[in-house]
Amino acid sequence: MTKWCHTPVRILGPNDKRYPDMNTSPRITVSAFPTVEWLQQRAADRGSAARHTLRPLPTRPSAAGRLLGAMRAMLDTSVRVEEGHWVATPDGELPVDIVLQKGDKRIGICCRSAWVASASDQDALMLVYGGFDVLYRCTVDASLESVVDAAYALMQAHPTWFSAFGRLSLGRRASDAMVASALCGTEKGWSVAGPFGTVEALRLCVASDWVRAFARALRGGNNLALSA
């Protein structure tokens, strides 16, 4: 015979909880508008962040830097290179971007942007007072082709200053127009031009390249007769 066991059932009162709280921590109230007290409490959690070293902004190489970069590996090992040379003249110290020296011969190179006029009486001052055999005025733009063309023109004028590899490499990379101009030359002085720039020379051994400009520069730029 089966006996039934009756378990007493407790009836919950109005103050009794049906389900126990699993988390006894105070509940977080979310608000889109935090109170001042909350912000003050959170301020203690935030410390000053370590400041990282500022990264220097990349600088764009100058025209002279790009020309020397294209030409340095092409030069003969006997050629000495100097950057940022200054020449003392009656007009003050004037900058020459690149100086090449081989033995007792010295070449000065000045690079200008395409929008700067190439003719300048001060170039004659730099030629004489700098003791250069030749001063080159290179007008190049921002392209790699322009500096390669300028380096090729300099190589054509001074082939022994460049290595065999340099002569071959520049000859292959130069534009056809610059190659033709450098080989043919011009009637008025030494000047070659390509599609990306020009290279002009003031030669100390050729009086017509610099004498009149030198006289004008000494007289303050006035175009006076040489006999005045």
Side-chain angles (χ1 to χ4, degrees):
M1 183 176 180
T2 304
K3 294 183 179 180
W4 297 91
C5 295
H6 297 278
T7 303
V9 178
R10 181 176 176 272
I11 300 175
L12 297 177
N15 297 327
D16 294 332
K17 297 181 180 179
R18 292 182 177 273
Y19 302 100
D21 288 337
M22 302 303 295
N23 188 359
T24 58
S25 61
R27 297 181 179 180
I28 299 176
T29 303
V30 179
S31 172
F33 304 97
T35 62
V36 176
E37 292 77 11
W38 185 86
L39 292 175
Q40 292 176 347
Q41 293 175 359
R42 292 294 299 165
D45 299 336
R46 295 191 300 270
S48 58
R51 185 174 183 179
H52 296 284
T53 304
L54 297 178
R55 294 182 179 179
L57 295 176
T59 56
R60 188 173 187 179
S62 63
R66 289 185 285 112
L67 174 59
L68 186 57
M71 187 171 56
R72 187 186 291 273
M74 310 299 171
L75 293 171
D76 188 76
T77 55
S78 62
V79 177
R80 190 175 66 183
V81 180
E82 181 182 353
E83 298 180 71
H85 184 76
W86 290 85
V87 176
T89 73
D91 277 359
E93 288 189 329
L94 301 177
V96 179
D97 297 315
I98 304 170
V99 176
L100 304 180
Q101 183 169 351
K102 182 178 182 181
D104 58 347
K105 300 293 185 181
R106 297 178 78 234
I107 295 174
I109 303 173
C110 296
C111 296
R112 296 189 176 94
S113 303
W115 52 270
V116 177
S118 61
S120 173
D121 295 340
Q122 288 184 334
D123 291 343
L125 293 180
M126 289 189 289
L127 171 69
V128 176
Y129 286 94
F132 300 114
D133 295 275
V134 188
L135 181 71
Y136 289 98
R137 302 183 293 202
C138 301
T139 303
V140 297
D141 56 26
S143 65
L144 176 61
E145 291 81 3
S146 65
V147 295
V148 170
D149 276 1
Y152 173 81
L154 296 171
M155 183 271 294
Q156 282 296 111
H158 305 276
T160 60
W161 291 49
F162 291 77
S163 64
F165 167 78
R167 294 191 296 268
L168 180 61
S169 178
L170 291 174
R172 288 178 173 178
R173 296 167 61 193
S175 65
D176 293 340
M178 178 58 78
V179 172
S181 180
L183 292 177
C184 296
T186 58
E187 295 180 0
K188 296 181 179 180
W190 192 95
S191 177
V192 294
F196 310 104
T198 60
V199 178
E200 297 175 301
L202 276 70
R203 299 159 293 182
L204 191 64
C205 61
V206 181
S208 59
D209 283 356
W210 61 272
V211 170
R212 291 187 177 275
F214 183 77
R216 288 195 301 267
L218 291 181
R219 297 186 178 111
N222 295 324
N223 190 9
L224 303 177
L226 294 180
S227 59

